[in-house]
Amino acid sequence: MKRTYEEINAKIQRGDAVVMTAEEAIKLAESNGIEKAAKEVDVVTTGTFGAMCSSGAFINFGHSEPPIRMKRVWLNGVPAYTGVASVDAYIGVTEEREGNGPPYGGAHVIEDLVSGKAVHLRATASGTDCYPRKDIDTYISLRTVNQAYMYNPRNAYQNYGVATNSSDRTLSTYMGKLLPHYGNMTYSSAGQLSPLLKDPTLRTIGIGTRIFLGGGIGYVAWEGTQYKTTPPVKNDVPVGPARSLAVIGDLRGMSTEFLQPLTFTGYGISLAIGIGIPIPILDEDIMRTAVLRDDQLFAPVFDYAIQSRNRKPIAEFSYAQLKSGSVELFGKKVQTSSLSSYYKARIIADRLKKMIEESEFMLTRPVERLPEERTQRALDVCSREDVL
Amino acid sequence: MTKKKIKLYFQPDKVNEPITYHLVKEYDIKFNILRAVVEEKGGRLLIEVEGQPAQISKGIAYLQSIGVDVKEMNEYVMKDVSRCTNCGMCVSICPAGAIEMDRETWEVIFDQGKCIACGLCVTACPPQAMKLKI
């Protein structure tokens, strides 16, 4: 069985493509077998909704009168990066508001913009012959700015480690609150619904792939930062963090239903983003991975009490075990929590399915494939000569 | 037997009263201290009491007679459903088993009745959907 992008898109255009969420496709493959399921289904949709710290948005504010070349810029008190052209800035989601007060950061600024609120803009400059103005204090919104698009260097991680804590104090981490003495365990992948687990070698997800991003349409821009292909594999899928995506998409068209600022007490701020990716069923091989179940997908467990990049996995569990609510670790029953919302992941896979069924979302062949081999490097303290 | 959660507020001059002793001895009330705060301006105590309904009423009347401000609590932690993403971070944090994941719908179910108002879920909740009312 072979199918081309063109054939799939022609069917989508006619409104008769057979689209299923990964959960639905799993059920079909279980009852009818992978061969028949591949024949029947054109597209499998996936979804994930989790903390994606490596995210932010570029904004062009437009020129003031007289013009300013912004050197420092704050959005609702949150510093943005403006070391690019005069009125361009990048607001990162983890950047925090200066001063005291309730937690508020770049993620909240993006939420406010997307929900249509006015955002306070303050900028300072040194003043030049071509940009004489030295400061500005005003308000912006998505209606007033030129471009406002998300550019996220690392999203949609292909699998991730599970966190626990052997120490005798509670740890505040980006994996949430970790109770002492292996008091709990947190994981962050949607497992059988998670996009990059369903096409593990990224045959169909590459540069230019159209995706569901934060409620709107986005595209894969590049390999995500820390993209790597080296983790051990089980059932063709890496066990632990492997590939990731850099994605881009217009803030206009996104929805706060799929963007949620997160506050990790004692750690900082992040943004939960909803991402959905369609998997075109080009052949049986891709169907085989698209219907991998939670009991066939595994994640390593790391002890966050060990503050080292070299910590080794202390256990390994399937997503079926993790999602059951508790696992057994060193003879002790440990309760599990998810950091990503499976509830929302389902909504996203379903929403994307409907968009494709209603001919609102066409599939794309990658312009370029992402690396098939990549190792991850570390940062060491070196001399000038060492790094050459 | 009924169970109730009550919040007590007492002035600095009453902090030396052995009120819990009286509750046990005179009114046969079992209690569990959920939260206790003592400050310059007085003390606040959140307790769960268990006993005969009539005895609980008498116990509360006794507390009021010695000048303790008593408030029955029905809701200590509130869940803002508009912010909750149903991730489930709070599920493994709750020591009282008051928060569970519905594995059919993948929605987080919060059982107010089991809540002991410890507040652990409040600081653990990434979208800040859980708020402490005490």
Side-chain angles (χ1 to χ4, degrees), chain A residues 177 263 265 323 325 337 341 346, chain B residues 85 88-89 92 103-104 123 126:
Chain A
K177 201 186 265 190
T263 303
T265 306
K323 286 181 183 174
S337 270
S341 169
R346 259 187 185 170
Chain B
T85 67
M89 178 64 225
S92 72
R103 289 192 165 70
E104 285 294 309
T123 49

Side-chain angles (χ1 to χ4, degrees), chain A residues 104-164:
Chain A
Y104 187 94
H108 299 86
V109 172
I110 290 172
E111 180 192 37
D112 282 346
L113 283 170
V114 169
S115 62
K117 287 187 187 155
V119 167
H120 179 238
L121 164 68
R122 188 166 79 83
T124 57
S126 44
T128 69
D129 289 341
C130 43
Y131 294 105
R133 192 171 184 133
K134 288 188 172 169
D135 58 75
I136 189 163
D137 196 309
T138 182
Y139 286 88
I140 59 154
S141 73
L142 270 197
R143 189 181 62 75
T144 70
V145 299
N146 289 309
Q147 289 70 28
Y149 55 86
M150 211 172 236
Y151 179 83
N152 306 339
R154 181 165 76 253
N155 278 182
Y157 236 131
Q158 183 178 42
N159 213 344
Y160 207 75
V162 181
T164 191

Side-chain angles (χ1 to χ4, degrees), chain B residues 23-96:
Chain B
L23 289 179
V24 179
K25 187 98 168 67
E26 312 290 330
Y27 307 101
D28 193 24
I29 294 173
K30 270 206 268 182
F31 65 92
N32 184 14
I33 298 172
L34 304 176
R35 275 177 99 78
V37 184
V38 180
E39 296 165 329
E40 298 90 332
K41 52 187 189 339
R44 278 177 294 148
L45 201 61
L46 180 69
I47 58 175
E48 185 178 63
V49 292
E50 190 180 349
Q52 297 299 334
Q55 293 290 81
I56 290 179
S57 301
K58 279 186 200 164
I60 289 174
Y62 151 73
L63 292 170
Q64 285 166 334
S65 74
I66 60 161
V68 178
D69 187 27
V70 184
K71 204 176 154 200
E72 200 177 318
M73 298 286 292
N74 295 313
E75 234 184 15
Y76 331 90
V77 172
M78 246 180 44
K79 179 171 138 176
D80 179 349
V81 288
S82 72
R83 292 197 76 80
C84 174
T85 67
N86 291 296
C87 67
M89 178 64 225
C90 51
V91 175
S92 72
I93 287 289
C94 178

